[in-house]
Amino acid sequence: FLDDRQTVFGNLIRKCYPLATDSPSELKMAGISEKRLVEVAMIAPQWIDFVNEVLGWDGFKEACYYFIAHMKQEDPERKKAEIAHYTNLDPLDLSDGAFDITWCQTIYKKLGEKRIKILYDASKLLCENSFHVRARKYMDACTGKKSKEEYWKEASEKRNKDALNSYCIVPIENEKDLMERYLYVQQFLKESKAFGAQRQASEKRCCEIALMNLAANAHFDTADRLIWKMENKISDQYKNVLKLRRIEDIELYLEVDENGQNEICVLKNGKKLKSIPARLKNHEYVLYVKEAHQMLKQQYQRTRSMLETAMEEGTPYECDEIEAMSKHIAAGPLIRNLVMICNHFIGFYKDGYLVMGDKKEKCTGTIRIAHVLDLYQNKVLKEFQNYLFENQIVQPFKQVFREFYLKLDDEQENTDTKRYTGYQIQVKQAAGALKKRGWNVSYEEGLEKVYHKQNVIVNLFADADWFSPSDIEAPSIDYVSFFDRKTGRSLKIKEIDDILFSETMRDIDLAVSLVFIGGVDPITSVSTIELRKAIVSCTCQLMKFKNIQMKDHFVHITGQYNDYSVHLGSGIIHQKAGSTIHMIPVWSGQRGKVYLPFLDEDPMTAQIVTKVVMLAQDTSIKDPAILSQIRKK
């Protein structure tokens, strides 16, 4: 029972709405103080228009909706529509922590310190919890009432997400200050990997919003443009370490390879040393080179991840942005080996042109990183796969040889897909595998992935307890469904973007392949098989093998000693009229010796390619352990 007088009156005001016959003049005649009227507007937003006319404060209504917009809770559609009059930020981004600096500065200028203080104090009445704190904290940061150091300390010690955003909102002093904040947000994101899937997803989203706020604070149109400017400055800062410098009896420099990765090179009398001599490890320049090595290494990882995300999301870039990336220390080697699409022409970027073989076209308008679906739909996938093999091009991530998934005709009108229905999975391992691809575990929905830019939420439904191990029979997947992030409406498969659908199925496919339980191997029904078929086929063409055939999930080899088959899923070798052949891979010793057209090589694919190449020329096998297993024809 409500026995507190203030609570009773507060609830009565919240449930009280103006009648059509009421007018602001009647409210004015009531003689209520300004402070109390402001509190009424905050408690019951339906009275904002009346109070606004009674007070006559320039900017009052705008300020009320500022506080409502920056609270940590969902707002009714009517409030969202009103908020849209004052800011172009997405209401869901606002709910996640996005901040409109110009809006805040405008109302502060209109109302002045004294009136803002009244609104500020009344904002706690907007809700019955502490959700109002964010709006007040952001305003303090925007107006410089608190220093960035205070917010940095709170964000570092308590992992407070509102403090991180406030740190990015405090007025920027200079370029050095901007760089310092950018690097801290990236460090905050990196540290989040130490936590669970749900917290990782939450903190990743917070860092995305923090960069949006920092970009707005620094007057950039988008966060991407801020990121590239900062990354370019990092590269420029360490360019001098790429040149050889003498320190006592050694020569030291940083070498960036054709893939964009760097290593510290030490020379003595013209010969390369394995490491820096211990006596010089604390030398000032040596420490500087080590710092540059770590910074450029982290930059490479960030850039690679950002480019893969840009491919998945279909992010368009201006041609001059791609040109700037191509000259970048870390991004340049990555950009040069990625396939781009511009005005329906597909090729590799070079000096303002897209080039493919003897064809090239000038880049105009926008350009984006092509997805494997673009190549498939334009019927050039095989051409590009062969081109990569013939020219020994190593891509920074799977692009041309990426697994892709097409919508089935019979599921176009459905709101869910059941292509993985019935596969039993290990709950904990499935959650762990998918969290690396941005999925998180929800108490209500189970495993889900949120595509913020496309405003789509994907749910993987299985009757499982995702939060604790279970002793009962392992659960099986039921279906995968799609929802609109803003309205919660179920989406039909045909409404889903083709690339988004393909990437979602790829995530689930790869996870299921790792964590399935039972007698049915899911890898026999997935496009990983097609990927390996393509790689083996290109390898055989390159090496001019004529004794290879592929059928279903097997590579069939006609050898001199015997005939063999290699399973494209498990890599198991069978010989005709004989037992299986066991080849034990030496992982660390063989890593990097088999060419694969993508940098993050799949060890099983490398193993299968190696086995096929060896067996195709079985008379060259010298290993007695393998020869002893082969049954001669």
Short mmCIF file of all heavy atoms in Angstrom, two decimals, residues 601-625:
data_model
loop_
_atom_site.label_atom_id
_atom_site.label_comp_id
_atom_site.label_asym_id
_atom_site.label_seq_id
_atom_site.Cartn_x
_atom_site.Cartn_y
_atom_site.Cartn_z
N GLU A 601 44.08 -18.84 -41.96
CA GLU A 601 43.94 -20.16 -42.57
C GLU A 601 43.22 -21.16 -41.66
O GLU A 601 43.39 -21.16 -40.45
CB GLU A 601 45.31 -20.70 -42.95
CG GLU A 601 46.21 -20.96 -41.76
CD GLU A 601 47.61 -20.44 -41.99
OE1 GLU A 601 47.74 -19.40 -42.63
OE2 GLU A 601 48.54 -21.07 -41.52
N ASP A 602 42.42 -21.98 -42.29
CA ASP A 602 41.73 -23.07 -41.61
C ASP A 602 42.67 -24.27 -41.58
O ASP A 602 43.03 -24.81 -42.63
CB ASP A 602 40.45 -23.40 -42.39
CG ASP A 602 39.73 -24.62 -41.86
OD1 ASP A 602 40.14 -25.12 -40.80
OD2 ASP A 602 38.75 -25.06 -42.49
N PRO A 603 43.13 -24.70 -40.40
CA PRO A 603 44.09 -25.80 -40.32
C PRO A 603 43.60 -27.07 -41.00
O PRO A 603 44.38 -27.79 -41.63
CB PRO A 603 44.26 -26.01 -38.81
CG PRO A 603 43.90 -24.71 -38.20
CD PRO A 603 42.83 -24.15 -39.07
N MET A 604 42.29 -27.38 -40.91
CA MET A 604 41.77 -28.58 -41.53
C MET A 604 41.82 -28.48 -43.06
O MET A 604 42.15 -29.44 -43.76
CB MET A 604 40.34 -28.85 -41.06
CG MET A 604 39.72 -30.10 -41.67
SD MET A 604 40.69 -31.61 -41.38
CE MET A 604 40.33 -31.89 -39.66
N THR A 605 41.51 -27.28 -43.60
CA THR A 605 41.61 -27.09 -45.05
C THR A 605 43.05 -27.28 -45.51
O THR A 605 43.31 -27.94 -46.52
CB THR A 605 41.10 -25.69 -45.45
OG1 THR A 605 39.75 -25.54 -45.03
CG2 THR A 605 41.19 -25.48 -46.95
N ALA A 606 43.99 -26.70 -44.78
CA ALA A 606 45.41 -26.85 -45.12
C ALA A 606 45.82 -28.33 -45.08
O ALA A 606 46.57 -28.80 -45.94
CB ALA A 606 46.26 -26.04 -44.15
N GLN A 607 45.29 -29.06 -44.08
CA GLN A 607 45.63 -30.48 -43.95
C GLN A 607 45.07 -31.28 -45.13
O GLN A 607 45.77 -32.14 -45.69
CB GLN A 607 45.04 -31.01 -42.63
CG GLN A 607 45.41 -32.45 -42.34
CD GLN A 607 44.69 -32.99 -41.12
OE1 GLN A 607 44.42 -34.18 -41.04
NE2 GLN A 607 44.37 -32.15 -40.16
N ILE A 608 43.83 -31.00 -45.53
CA ILE A 608 43.20 -31.73 -46.64
C ILE A 608 43.93 -31.45 -47.96
O ILE A 608 44.22 -32.37 -48.74
CB ILE A 608 41.71 -31.35 -46.76
CG1 ILE A 608 40.93 -31.94 -45.56
CG2 ILE A 608 41.11 -31.84 -48.07
CD1 ILE A 608 39.53 -31.42 -45.42
N VAL A 609 44.27 -30.17 -48.22
CA VAL A 609 45.00 -29.82 -49.43
C VAL A 609 46.35 -30.55 -49.47
O VAL A 609 46.75 -31.10 -50.51
CB VAL A 609 45.22 -28.30 -49.53
CG1 VAL A 609 46.16 -27.96 -50.68
CG2 VAL A 609 43.89 -27.58 -49.71
N THR A 610 47.05 -30.60 -48.33
CA THR A 610 48.35 -31.27 -48.26
C THR A 610 48.21 -32.76 -48.58
O THR A 610 49.00 -33.33 -49.34
CB THR A 610 48.95 -31.10 -46.85
OG1 THR A 610 49.04 -29.71 -46.55
CG2 THR A 610 50.34 -31.71 -46.77
N LYS A 611 47.19 -33.40 -48.02
CA LYS A 611 46.97 -34.83 -48.25
C LYS A 611 46.69 -35.12 -49.72
O LYS A 611 47.22 -36.07 -50.29
CB LYS A 611 45.83 -35.34 -47.37
CG LYS A 611 46.18 -35.41 -45.89
CD LYS A 611 44.97 -35.83 -45.06
CE LYS A 611 45.35 -35.96 -43.57
NZ LYS A 611 44.20 -36.33 -42.74
N VAL A 612 45.85 -34.28 -50.33
CA VAL A 612 45.50 -34.48 -51.74
C VAL A 612 46.74 -34.34 -52.61
O VAL A 612 46.99 -35.15 -53.52
CB VAL A 612 44.40 -33.49 -52.18
CG1 VAL A 612 44.22 -33.52 -53.70
CG2 VAL A 612 43.09 -33.79 -51.48
N VAL A 613 47.54 -33.30 -52.36
CA VAL A 613 48.76 -33.07 -53.15
C VAL A 613 49.73 -34.24 -53.01
O VAL A 613 50.32 -34.71 -53.99
CB VAL A 613 49.42 -31.74 -52.73
CG1 VAL A 613 50.81 -31.61 -53.37
CG2 VAL A 613 48.55 -30.56 -53.12
N MET A 614 49.89 -34.74 -51.78
CA MET A 614 50.80 -35.87 -51.55
C MET A 614 50.34 -37.13 -52.27
O MET A 614 51.12 -37.81 -52.95
CB MET A 614 50.93 -36.14 -50.05
CG MET A 614 51.74 -35.12 -49.29
SD MET A 614 51.83 -35.50 -47.53
CE MET A 614 52.81 -37.00 -47.55
N LEU A 615 49.06 -37.44 -52.15
CA LEU A 615 48.54 -38.69 -52.71
C LEU A 615 48.44 -38.63 -54.24
O LEU A 615 48.50 -39.66 -54.91
CB LEU A 615 47.17 -39.01 -52.10
CG LEU A 615 47.20 -39.34 -50.61
CD1 LEU A 615 45.78 -39.39 -50.05
CD2 LEU A 615 47.92 -40.65 -50.34
N ALA A 616 48.27 -37.42 -54.79
CA ALA A 616 48.20 -37.28 -56.24
C ALA A 616 49.53 -37.63 -56.90
O ALA A 616 49.57 -38.00 -58.07
CB ALA A 616 47.79 -35.86 -56.62
N GLN A 617 50.60 -37.52 -56.14
CA GLN A 617 51.93 -37.91 -56.63
C GLN A 617 52.55 -38.87 -55.60
O GLN A 617 53.59 -38.61 -55.03
CB GLN A 617 52.80 -36.68 -56.86
CG GLN A 617 52.67 -35.60 -55.80
CD GLN A 617 53.28 -34.27 -56.19
OE1 GLN A 617 53.92 -34.15 -57.24
NE2 GLN A 617 53.10 -33.28 -55.36
N ASP A 618 51.84 -40.00 -55.40
CA ASP A 618 52.22 -40.91 -54.32
C ASP A 618 53.58 -41.57 -54.51
O ASP A 618 54.18 -42.07 -53.56
CB ASP A 618 51.13 -41.97 -54.08
CG ASP A 618 50.81 -42.77 -55.34
OD1 ASP A 618 51.40 -42.48 -56.39
OD2 ASP A 618 49.95 -43.67 -55.25
N THR A 619 54.11 -41.55 -55.73
CA THR A 619 55.44 -42.14 -55.93
C THR A 619 56.54 -41.25 -55.34
O THR A 619 57.69 -41.68 -55.20
CB THR A 619 55.72 -42.33 -57.44
OG1 THR A 619 55.52 -41.09 -58.13
CG2 THR A 619 54.81 -43.40 -58.03
N SER A 620 56.18 -40.02 -54.98
CA SER A 620 57.16 -39.11 -54.38
C SER A 620 57.17 -39.18 -52.86
O SER A 620 57.99 -38.53 -52.21
CB SER A 620 56.87 -37.66 -54.82
OG SER A 620 56.94 -37.53 -56.22
N ILE A 621 56.24 -39.95 -52.28
CA ILE A 621 56.18 -40.07 -50.81
C ILE A 621 57.40 -40.83 -50.31
O ILE A 621 57.71 -41.93 -50.80
CB ILE A 621 54.88 -40.77 -50.37
CG1 ILE A 621 53.65 -39.94 -50.79
CG2 ILE A 621 54.87 -41.00 -48.86
CD1 ILE A 621 52.32 -40.63 -50.52
N LYS A 622 58.10 -40.27 -49.35
CA LYS A 622 59.30 -40.89 -48.79
C LYS A 622 59.10 -41.40 -47.36
O LYS A 622 59.90 -42.18 -46.85
CB LYS A 622 60.46 -39.88 -48.78
CG LYS A 622 60.78 -39.28 -50.15
CD LYS A 622 61.20 -40.34 -51.16
CE LYS A 622 61.56 -39.71 -52.51
NZ LYS A 622 61.83 -40.73 -53.54
N ASP A 623 58.02 -40.93 -46.71
CA ASP A 623 57.80 -41.29 -45.30
C ASP A 623 57.47 -42.78 -45.19
O ASP A 623 56.44 -43.24 -45.70
CB ASP A 623 56.64 -40.45 -44.75
CG ASP A 623 56.49 -40.58 -43.23
OD1 ASP A 623 56.74 -41.69 -42.71
OD2 ASP A 623 56.11 -39.59 -42.59
N PRO A 624 58.32 -43.58 -44.52
CA PRO A 624 58.08 -45.03 -44.40
C PRO A 624 56.79 -45.36 -43.66
O PRO A 624 56.15 -46.38 -43.92
CB PRO A 624 59.32 -45.54 -43.66
CG PRO A 624 59.88 -44.34 -42.97
CD PRO A 624 59.58 -43.18 -43.86
N ALA A 625 56.37 -44.49 -42.71
CA ALA A 625 55.15 -44.74 -41.93
C ALA A 625 53.92 -44.68 -42.83
O ALA A 625 52.97 -45.44 -42.64
CB ALA A 625 55.03 -43.72 -40.80
#
